[in-house]
Amino acid sequence: MAEKYQNYINGEWCDAGSGETFENRNPANWNEVVGIFPKSDGKDVERAVSAARKAWDAWRLMPAPERGMMLKRTGDIMTARKEELARLMTREMGKVLTETRGDVQEGIDTAYYAATETRRLFGHTAPSELANKMNISFRFPVGVAGIITPWNFPMAIPTWKIFPALACGNTVVFKPASDTPATATKLVEILLEAGVPAGVLNLVHGGGSKVGTAIVEHPQVDLISFTGSSAVGRTINSRAGRDLKRVSLELGDKNAQIVMDDANLELALDGVLWGAFGTTGQRCTATSRLILHEKVYDKFMDMLAESAAGLRLGDGLKSTTDVGPVINEGARAKIHEYVEIGKNEGARLVVGGEPANDGDLAKGWFYKPTVFGEVQPGMRIEQEEIFGPVLSVIKVNDFDEAVRVLNDTEYGLSSSIYTQDVNRAFRAMRDIQTGITYINGPTIGAEAHMPFGGTKHTGNGHREGGWEVYDFYTETKVVYVDFSGKLQRAQIDVEY
Ligand code: NAD
């Protein structure tokens, strides 16, 4: 019997007002129903926003370190329940257990970082240009935060948003992806157990078009933090922009790894296998392009083809599995469509290129790790986000061409270069136009205390993680204190 889950609104667990539900199935075995969830709509969102608005006054006035202690307790509970959460996540979205443990760990790291940040919500003091006057800035919460998340990091991404939002004194209406609602519900349960009061955190399950749109368009929601596809991000930005809402967007990507002729090839191979096929290629930072120097192209392609063909597909709960399923039927169909596009564009299919259906794999959404060689810059498989285990390999003549090819996309999240030449490494740090660059490491591996986000169409300039996200969740208030006992006029009474 599948577990039945609920929304959490105004301090109560409840069904959708309509009574409707949806199922969530295991992508490694579609016969297994992981849970049944409320299919909510705008009316449920209305109740959630009104609760969040009412709870805001008390929450914003609570001393920030007291809020921080709740986040610390959240980290402690997550630590104690790490294995159970990771197993549920693997059943819900397919990635292998070592990776789902890492996803939970990222949430734990984010909790402890957020807890300490509540003692560091610094403002500034600055000298005044006038005598007997002081200038101070403070940071205050913004209000109600609408938080909309994707399925590929079902724990880490919600924590990147919810923890700093709460730490800063905002209340939250949270809509997780409908492919990963169980992990999201566990996160909310843990925050409540850690002491977050009624109304401060509200969870509304359901689809993007009804629940997501209602959150984005609600006049009492002050800011939106969204991670997901570029198409949805654009829609959200234009809708929220009409009401002049603050919006943070983390969107699609086309990350690349460069391997120069002086690289340690074994190391670069480990990097690209992990970058391209970890999480079945469904990470925002996944390596979807490999840019190879011509001098190492043939050798590296042989090494890559052999290793990629040897990766073992299967249920992520099994220790023998290297690569789990993709998230759902639609995703697998899209991946296969891109493989056909690549073949028609004239790229050479080296490995994979088809669904995997043998034995137990027949019950899940599996796709063979796929490598295309002889990919030309500008091909659709080189430019468009596929979001699956498909790697496009491009041959270049030198470092300048490698950087040019890497930069020539509309996205700019992550990048990597393998080289032993320190001068090249520093030029890469300067000239590659992405929010994150790894030197001698794969395109994946962000740490919770560093800012995370991309340039160009990967987002709209905000960052998650680290200290920068705290700016997004706070308003700056400047206070001038004049203790001169007379009218003093800035820019008029003093001229230098
Ligand atoms: P998606 O855009 O389909 O959905 C993301 C969330 O938005 C879900 O909760 C969905 O229900 C909701 N949504 C859908 N339509 C909506 C609407 N009209 N209004 C409001 N909300 C709506 O993305 P996905 O398939 O869940 O995730 C994969 C995408 O996320 C990929 O493009 C990937 O690159 C991107 N991603 C980016 C980052 C990053 O940090 N840049 C991180 C992870 C994932």
Side-chain angles (χ1 to χ4, degrees):
M1 195 50 190
E3 195 175 339
K4 193 164 177 287
Y5 290 75
Q6 291 183 302
N7 288 333
Y8 184 75
I9 298 176
N10 201 19
E12 282 177 10
W13 292 100
C14 52
D15 295 331
S18 66
E20 286 188 57
T21 57
F22 66 93
E23 280 179 357
N24 178 24
R25 285 174 183 261
N26 181 343
N29 173 9
W30 54 58
N31 292 328
E32 182 190 343
V33 178
V34 176
I36 297 173
F37 298 83
K39 194 171 179 181
S40 315
D41 59 25
K43 290 196 183 113
D44 302 296
V45 171
E46 182 62 48
R47 290 176 45 237
V49 175
S50 133
R53 177 54 60 192
K54 265 198 239 117
W56 186 55
D57 240 350
W59 185 243
R60 80 182 170 88
L61 295 175
M62 180 184 284
E66 199 177 330
R67 296 193 296 259
M69 283 313 292
M70 292 178 198
L71 294 169
K72 189 213 163 271
R73 281 197 291 276
T74 299
D76 294 344
I77 300 168
M78 288 173 79
T79 305
R81 293 177 58 182
K82 181 171 168 181
E83 190 62 17
E84 165 218 336
L85 295 168
R87 285 183 171 272
L88 176 65
M89 195 190 303
T90 293
R91 283 174 55 222
E92 173 163 71
M93 55 75 71
K95 67 185 170 188
V96 298
L97 202 48
T98 42
E99 292 187 49
T100 51
R101 288 184 189 126
D103 195 323
V104 178
Q105 187 59 48
E106 198 161 340
I108 295 167
D109 297 343
T110 302
Y112 291 142
Y113 184 87
T116 59
E117 198 67 23
T118 57
R119 290 181 182 267
R120 245 187 333 257
L121 292 170
F122 298 137
H124 288 89
T125 57
S128 169
E129 64 188 46
L130 295 162
N132 295 320
K133 192 177 167 198
M134 280 183 189
N135 301 349
I136 319 166
S137 78
F138 297 90
R139 287 157 71 191
F140 292 121
V142 182
V144 176
I147 285 175
I148 302 174
T149 54
W151 51 265
N152 66 337
F153 278 86
M155 184 62 87
I157 291 179
T159 67
W160 290 356
K161 298 173 188 297
I162 293 173
F163 293 173
L166 294 178
C168 293
N170 304 282
T171 54
V172 169
V173 177
F174 171 34
K175 190 212 95 64
S178 42
D179 278 312
T180 49
T183 308
T185 309
K186 296 294 165 196
L187 173 61
V188 170
E189 282 173 15
I190 290 169
L191 280 155
L192 301 179
E193 190 185 333
V196 172
V200 168
L201 173 62
N202 301 274
L203 168 70
V204 188
H205 290 292
S209 57
K210 282 197 176 158
V211 178
T213 303
I215 293 173
V216 170
E217 296 192 336
H218 199 293
Q220 296 285 315
V221 173
D222 301 289
L223 62 83
I224 301 290
S225 179
F226 170 80
T227 298
S229 61
S230 296
V232 173
R234 279 173 202 273
T235 308
I236 288 180
N237 208 27
S238 60
R239 286 192 173 137
R242 283 200 301 256
D243 288 335
L244 303 177
K245 284 187 183 154
R246 186 182 292 211
V247 181
S248 168
L249 301 171
E250 293 294 340
L251 311 174
D253 301 286
K254 196 70 189 172
N255 313 293
Q257 171 177 320
I258 295 173
V259 180
M260 294 305 298
D261 51 341
D262 64 347
N264 174 336
L265 294 189
E266 292 292 338
L267 187 68
L269 179 66
D270 286 346
V272 74
L273 289 171
W274 176 230
F277 304 120
T279 317
T280 324
Q282 304 167 108
R283 284 181 181 231
C284 46
T285 52
T287 311
S288 64
R289 297 179 299 153
L290 174 66
I291 301 172
L292 283 181
H293 192 282
E294 59 170 357
K295 284 194 190 147
V296 295
Y297 184 91
D298 290 338
K299 182 172 181 200
F300 199 82
M301 282 303 272
D302 288 346
M303 291 162 69
L304 175 61
E306 193 188 335
S307 301
L311 292 171
R312 295 161 301 177
L313 286 167
D315 185 331
L317 288 178
K318 291 189 183 155
S319 59
T320 47
T321 299
D322 298 315
V323 179
V326 299
I327 187 69
N328 55 35
E329 186 174 13
R332 187 165 79 168
K334 179 182 163 196
I335 291 161
H336 193 59
E337 215 173 285
Y338 268 105
V339 167
E340 292 301 318
I341 290 170
K343 287 199 259 181
N344 291 333
E345 284 179 312
R348 186 169 66 87
L349 181 61
V350 178
V351 185
E354 57 185 0
N357 294 317
D358 297 342
D360 281 351
L361 302 185
K363 288 183 290 179
W365 308 118
F366 291 95
Y367 202 89
K368 293 185 179 167
T370 299
V371 178
F372 275 109
E374 282 145 53
V375 174
Q376 299 303 315
M379 284 181 176
R380 285 185 63 193
I381 56 165
E382 199 265 337
Q383 288 287 318
E384 297 174 20
E385 186 181 50
I386 301 172
F387 219 57
V390 180
L391 179 68
S392 297
V393 189
I394 307 131
K395 190 196 290 187
V396 293
N397 295 318
D398 55 28
F399 172 80
D400 288 337
E401 189 184 358
V403 171
R404 210 166 42 245
V405 167
L406 186 147
N407 283 337
D408 181 27
T409 88
E410 64 169 310
Y411 300 116
L413 182 59
S414 188
S415 56
S416 120
I417 181 164
Y418 283 77
T419 179
Q420 315 265 16
D421 178 338
V422 69
N423 296 340
R424 267 191 199 143
F426 271 87
R427 282 175 61 202
M429 290 179 219
R430 184 192 61 193
D431 295 339
I432 290 176
Q433 296 159 357
T434 56
I436 305 166
T437 294
Y438 294 87
I439 308 295
N440 292 324
T443 59
I444 61 184
E447 297 178 27
H449 58 293
M450 298 300 286
F452 179 95
T455 61
K456 301 192 264 184
H457 289 168
T458 290
N460 61 346
H462 291 288
R463 292 289 181 270
E464 309 253 57
W467 53 95
E468 286 198 14
V469 72
Y470 291 82
D471 291 338
F472 178 72
Y473 289 105
T474 50
E475 292 280 9
T476 298
K477 153 84 69 82
V478 171
V479 177
Y480 298 98
V481 184
D482 191 323
F483 50 97
S484 68
K486 61 182 183 194
L487 173 66
Q488 297 201 91
R489 298 171 303 175
Q491 294 94 41
I492 293 170
D493 292 348
V494 181
E495 279 184 77
Y496 298 107

